[in-house]
Amino acid sequence: MIRARIAAALVAGAGWHGLWLLAGRADGVGLTTTLALLAALGWALMRAQHHVRPGGLIVLLLGSGAAAMTRVALLEIGAVVAGLAWCAMPRPRLPVLMLALLAVPILPTLEMLLAWPLRRLSAMLTAAMLRLNGFSVTLEGVALEWHGRQLLFDGPCSGVRMLWALLVLACLAAAIRELQPLRFALVLAGAIVVAILGNALRAASLFYVESGLVPIIHGPVAHEAVGLAAFAIVTAGALALVSRWSVRA
């Protein structure tokens, strides 16, 4: 058996390039989450009194080496962060590992990979909602057409940041409630569905604002208020899922 601090030092040494890449990519929201992640890992490792199995450490070191060979920044960062989180925990916990991975600067990559599919899906759901309310809305790509006007789903309307925030919230709540793997997977799937539906609800609400159907509510303040209200609704939905599926160890 190997002391956790020694194991973490070996993981950090093997994944030094991933840590260097992590420092270079951290800015904006990523800087805040990265600093919080490193502070939490450092605090946990300073207090660690447990030992880790040599077999698990070997797997982590091999994984870090394999990630370095790919030359993919996020894989290198993910390997070293997951390894440090694994060393910091007296026993492996999947929600904590995923929370650590979500804390790295992953938002730009998620926006590049998921922005258009989520924009398209949100536009389809929004159009369906508006048709149910009697509006003859048509869909053209990622834009809604109504009475000759076109309302475009741009990048910020994709819901990627809302999805990321809900996944972080779900992982944090699952770690606190100590959800078992199957229930944790159900909570994650539910959080994804809630985020997509919540983003469509936000877009449908903004349709009334942007089209002038509610003249007393307009301008950027109304836009932000609708976004905050939608986020509050989806947050409540995600927490309800965690409460429903939680089982204390």
Side-chain angles (χ1 to χ4, degrees):
M1 301 292 282
I2 304 173
R3 291 186 62 87
R5 297 176 190 174
I6 297 176
L10 292 174
V11 170
W16 69 269
H17 191 249
L19 293 175
W20 177 262
L21 292 173
L22 175 61
R25 289 171 65 98
D27 59 356
V29 176
L31 177 60
T32 303
T33 57
T34 299
L35 291 177
L37 170 65
L38 294 178
L41 289 176
W43 180 82
L45 288 170
M46 287 178 60
R47 296 172 58 88
Q49 300 295 327
H50 61 279
H51 294 72
V52 300
R53 296 182 180 276
L57 179 59
I58 291 174
V59 171
L60 291 177
L61 295 177
L62 290 176
S64 183
M69 292 178 62
T70 65
R71 297 294 181 179
V72 178
L74 274 183
L75 288 181
E76 293 190 57
I77 293 172
V80 67
V81 167
L84 292 174
W86 186 83
C87 293
M89 292 184 290
R91 57 187 177 86
R93 297 168 61 187
L94 186 58
V96 177
L97 285 175
M98 186 167 179
L99 183 62
L101 292 176
L102 287 171
V104 304
I106 198 175
L107 266 176
T109 301
L110 289 180
E111 289 176 342
M112 180 180 66
L113 296 176
L114 300 179
W116 194 92
L118 286 179
R119 288 166 65 190
R120 175 66 178 176
L121 183 56
S122 295
M124 292 171 61
L125 292 173
T126 301
M129 289 180 182
L130 293 174
R131 291 192 194 105
L132 289 175
N133 283 304
F135 294 98
S136 56
V137 175
T138 59
L139 187 61
E140 183 67 30
V142 291
L144 301 177
E145 292 190 353
W146 181 67
H147 288 184
R149 296 185 58 188
Q150 192 175 72
L151 301 177
L152 178 65
F153 276 75
D154 56 8
C157 290
S158 64
V160 172
R161 290 178 178 268
M162 182 183 291
L163 174 61
W164 174 83
L166 282 190
L167 290 177
V168 169
L169 179 64
C171 291
L172 181 60
I176 294 173
R177 302 300 292 270
E178 299 187 351
L179 294 191
Q180 297 180 4
L182 178 58
R183 294 180 182 272
F184 177 53
L186 291 173
V187 167
L188 286 183
I192 293 172
V193 173
V194 168
I196 293 173
L197 293 177
N199 191 55
L201 176 62
R202 179 181 70 89
S205 302
L206 287 174
F207 172 82
Y208 292 90
V209 175
E210 299 295 338
S211 61
L213 293 172
V214 187
I216 61 174
I217 303 177
H218 57 85
V221 175
H223 197 283
E224 295 297 330
V226 169
L228 289 174
F231 185 72
I233 292 173
V234 298
T235 299
L239 291 177
L241 288 173
V242 174
S243 178
R244 178 178 178 84
W245 291 104
S246 63
V247 175
R248 291 189 179 276

